[in-house]
Amino acid sequence: MTEIDENVQAVLERIGRAALRAGRDPSGVTLVAVSKTFPVDMILAVHAQGVRHFGENRVEEAAQKIPEASGRIGSSSPIIWHMVGHLQSRKVRAAVPLFDWVESVDSIALARRLDTQVAALSKTLPVLLEVNVSGETSKYGIPAEPRAGVYTAVREIAGRAHLDLQGLMTVAPIVSDPEQARRHFRALRQLRDELLIHFPERALPHLSMGMTDDFEVAIDEGATIVRIGRAIFGERPCAV
Ligand SMILES: *Cc1c(COP(=O)(O)O)cnc(C)c1O
């Protein structure tokens, strides 16, 4: 096994153990391998270990890598591509044909633009509403408070015929001890539970939270999607 193969297996084992510790079924946690800054060769190596979900955060980079990766993999076990970064409105048109999920819907305006572009392709796009639960001003996402803003965003996205709102996503603050991120993950889950009461007709099954440094805590708090880059691919050349 190469180092990257070992990394994937180690991450999958840690996900499984964290789920079991939390009394959850490991199959209820999906690994999204965040491949930003890493080459297609490495994506293919991770794919060969059975990983099917990958994440990118920049449209230009994705436009280079996704067609190449798809071409080299073929149609038997395709990658499901997740957009996890902030999506500028002028890049929506280019992003929509590339991605299967957009986890980073962080404004009503973006939801509207996405809906229009997806409609033109006659498909439905699974999306997550990105929420800023920590209140850090550097973070994208709809602020978790006041709740009225979140309710408005959910109502707006849920009303879009070509968007399929699957739940919530958050990027927790960078902390030295993963336990310090717990309250943010818990806050996202609590928000989701409130939304289920407020919008009883919606399911909102997904919580995308947890990265390399804190995914086990996130799973303990109910993450159904973890977005992991460095633990699989190694350190990135610079902070992105
Ligand atoms: C880069 C990135 C990740 C993965 O971060 P790691 O610390 O490398 O695991 C997850 N989510 C988002 C939104 C990212 O931009």
Side-chain angles (χ1 to χ4, degrees), residues 34 36 57 84 169 171 211-212 227-230 236 240:
V34 179
K36 65 188 184 197
N57 72 334
V84 300
M169 178 271 226
V171 179
M211 319 198 326
T212 288
R227 310 178 308 268
I228 299 178
R230 290 169 297 130
R236 284 180 291 275
V240 243

Side-chain angles (χ1 to χ4, degrees), residues 63-82:
Q64 298 288 319
K65 288 156 68 176
I66 291 178
E68 187 193 335
S70 304
R72 289 172 62 185
I73 285 166
S75 56
S76 57
S77 43
I79 289 179
I80 297 126
W81 290 99
H82 294 234

Side-chain angles (χ1 to χ4, degrees), residues 1-13 45 48-49:
M1 285 223 275
T2 66
E3 191 177 341
I4 202 162
D5 297 349
E6 286 172 3
N7 288 350
V8 174
Q9 293 311 321
V11 165
L12 289 172
E13 266 176 46
Q49 292 296 306

Side-chain angles (χ1 to χ4, degrees), residues 139-192:
K139 290 270 187 289
Y140 289 107
I142 301 270
E145 306 286 348
R147 286 294 202 246
V150 183
Y151 294 159
T152 303
V154 167
R155 197 173 299 114
E156 186 67 34
I157 299 171
R160 299 276 140 188
H162 300 273
L163 302 184
D164 178 15
L165 181 61
Q166 286 281 326
L168 306 178
M169 178 271 226
T170 199
V171 179
I174 296 164
V175 289
S176 50
D177 172 4
E179 278 299 326
Q180 293 175 297
R182 184 180 291 276
R183 64 192 174 96
H184 303 295
F185 299 141
R186 186 168 294 175
L188 194 73
R189 189 190 60 201
Q190 283 171 349
L191 173 58
R192 192 274 306 274

Side-chain angles (χ1 to χ4, degrees), residues 38-221:
F38 294 105
V40 171
D41 283 341
M42 290 177 82
I43 294 172
L44 298 189
V46 173
H47 177 268
Q49 292 296 306
V51 176
R52 292 295 172 264
H53 294 258
F54 286 76
E56 289 283 339
N57 72 334
R58 289 178 62 248
V59 175
E60 296 84 347
E61 186 180 340
Q64 298 288 319
K65 288 156 68 176
I66 291 178
E68 187 193 335
S70 304
R72 289 172 62 185
I73 285 166
S75 56
S76 57
S77 43
I79 289 179
I80 297 126
W81 290 99
H82 294 234
M83 175 60 179
V84 300
H86 176 62
L87 185 50
Q88 291 168 276
S89 50
R90 63 195 169 83
K91 297 189 180 155
V92 168
R93 187 195 291 265
V96 159
L98 295 169
F99 289 99
D100 303 294
W101 281 65
V102 174
E103 297 200 13
S104 45
V105 175
D106 55 11
S107 73
I108 290 172
L110 173 59
R112 289 186 178 146
R113 282 203 173 77
L114 278 169
D115 185 58
T116 305
Q117 293 301 324
V118 176
L121 299 182
S122 349
K123 61 174 194 176
T124 305
L125 183 69
V127 297
L128 301 177
L129 175 64
E130 182 173 356
V131 179
N132 178 352
V133 283
S134 66
E136 282 186 309
T137 51
S138 59
K139 290 270 187 289
Y140 289 107
I142 301 270
E145 306 286 348
R147 286 294 202 246
V150 183
Y151 294 159
T152 303
V154 167
R155 197 173 299 114
E156 186 67 34
I157 299 171
R160 299 276 140 188
H162 300 273
L163 302 184
D164 178 15
L165 181 61
Q166 286 281 326
L168 306 178
M169 178 271 226
T170 199
V171 179
I174 296 164
V175 289
S176 50
D177 172 4
E179 278 299 326
Q180 293 175 297
R182 184 180 291 276
R183 64 192 174 96
H184 303 295
F185 299 141
R186 186 168 294 175
L188 194 73
R189 189 190 60 201
Q190 283 171 349
L191 173 58
R192 192 274 306 274
D193 293 346
E194 281 179 46
L195 288 168
L196 291 180
I197 294 168
H198 208 82
F199 299 93
E201 73 286 1
R202 302 230 49 105
L204 304 176
H206 283 294
L207 291 173
S208 175
M209 54 190 195
M211 319 198 326
T212 288
D213 293 327
D214 53 21
F215 68 88
E216 282 140 320
V217 174
I219 290 169
D220 197 34
E221 292 297 333

Side-chain angles (χ1 to χ4, degrees), residues 23-44:
R24 302 180 52 200
D25 181 347
S27 70
V29 183
T30 297
L31 167 63
V32 174
V34 179
S35 49
K36 65 188 184 197
T37 76
F38 294 105
V40 171
D41 283 341
M42 290 177 82
I43 294 172
L44 298 189

